[in-house]
Amino acid sequence: MKPLNKLGEHKMEDGSVWELWERDNELSLQLDGMPCASSFTYGSEQSMAEIATSPITRASQPQILIAGLGLGYGLAKAMECLPREKAKFIVAEPIPAIIEWNRSYGENRALWEDRRVSAEAVHAAELCRKRTGSLHAILLRHVHARCEMKLGDAQAYFNALKGGSLLAISVAKKDKRLESTLMRAGFEVSTTPVPASAKGKQQRMHTIVLARRGRFVPFAERQQG
């Protein structure tokens, strides 16, 4: 068996520890020893990006918020789906070390040379409070069974989106409390199951929570109006 190598460690003020590990070119991002992202399991992140960007593929200057970076697979897929020259991909990642690890390691590090990508070491909701009505989509990766989202944060996401745009959240399984919080914030909410990974023999599923701000009007209808 090939050796397990620690590439980085970051201690939080509350005592929790983020670590980046590598074995045989496979990366694992861990919090207190629990995997939070890996270069083996990222299928749901790609599905989330595809779904969230599908209504806006014709937008000339889409602005996408990546809420929680992981190992960059959601960002990479969003950029693939929206290859527009004037697109903007804003990463909100409150752990600066995770941003630096993405710049230094893994198959997505080349993305950081693209001028359309920027990063801010803040919580996504905090950033959204400064971007009312400016975002075309928000991708929020969450790896735990329950996403403890406050109503005020959900409202910040709602207010930051343009009409008809999507907040997409990847979670390990369905979360009725999260869905209720999003609906109280004004979103229309639905869910869809997707494979957690395209690799491996066992088909483990994640859930994509789709929160839409109102009805999306297709570009053809806008032109007719």
Side-chain angles (χ1 to χ4, degrees):
M1 180 178 292
K2 294 190 176 182
L4 182 64
N5 303 306
K6 182 187 286 189
L7 301 179
E9 178 179 300
H10 176 77
K11 295 183 179 180
M12 304 288 289
E13 292 183 359
D14 63 2
S16 58
V17 180
W18 285 93
E19 297 172 324
L20 181 67
W21 293 86
E22 179 271 336
R23 172 182 281 158
D24 194 18
N25 294 321
E26 295 278 352
L27 296 180
S28 176
L29 179 65
Q30 301 182 6
L31 175 60
D32 291 336
M34 297 296 294
C36 292
S38 78
S39 51
F40 184 84
T41 304
Y42 54 85
S44 59
E45 289 185 61
Q46 292 184 319
S47 296
M48 174 177 65
E50 288 179 323
I51 295 169
T53 59
S54 60
I56 55 170
T57 53
R58 295 178 60 186
S60 60
Q61 299 181 47
Q63 294 192 47
I64 312 302
L65 175 63
I66 312 297
L69 181 56
L71 291 175
Y73 290 102
L75 169 62
K77 193 63 179 181
M79 295 177 70
E80 178 186 323
C81 294
L82 298 171
R84 301 284 185 175
E85 182 179 351
K86 294 184 178 180
K88 291 185 178 180
F89 302 91
I90 307 132
V91 174
E93 173 51 67
I95 312 300
I98 294 178
I99 298 174
E100 290 306 312
W101 294 339
N102 270 267
R103 292 179 184 272
S104 302
Y105 306 105
E107 59 188 280
N108 295 312
R109 59 184 180 273
L111 300 179
W112 299 93
E113 299 176 7
D114 193 313
R115 60 180 179 79
R116 298 173 300 164
V117 178
S118 62
E120 296 193 36
V122 297
H123 189 279
E126 180 181 339
L127 189 149
C128 282
R129 290 185 175 93
K130 304 174 184 178
R131 292 181 172 269
T132 302
S134 66
L135 299 176
H136 291 78
I138 300 173
L139 314 182
L140 197 163
R141 65 178 307 278
H142 188 81
V143 296
H144 303 293
R146 183 174 296 281
C147 178
E148 300 289 351
M149 182 180 293
K150 297 178 181 178
L151 178 58
D153 290 348
Q155 291 171 331
Y157 294 136
F158 181 89
N159 292 332
L161 286 168
K162 291 181 175 292
S165 296
L166 284 168
L167 161 63
I169 309 171
S170 64
V171 292
K173 60 182 181 180
K174 291 192 68 173
D175 187 335
K176 290 295 185 182
R177 183 182 297 180
L178 172 61
E179 294 174 36
S180 176
T181 299
L182 292 168
M183 287 188 284
R184 288 170 60 199
F187 284 107
E188 299 173 9
V189 179
S190 62
T191 63
T192 184
V194 299
S197 174
K199 303 179 181 179
K201 295 181 179 179
Q202 294 185 346
Q203 189 79 337
R204 188 161 62 95
M205 304 298 287
H206 282 174
T207 295
I208 304 299
V209 180
L210 299 172
R212 187 186 301 276
R213 178 174 176 168
R215 176 177 176 266
F216 176 74
V217 180
F219 285 89
E221 293 185 19
R222 297 178 193 179
Q223 293 171 357
Q224 291 174 2

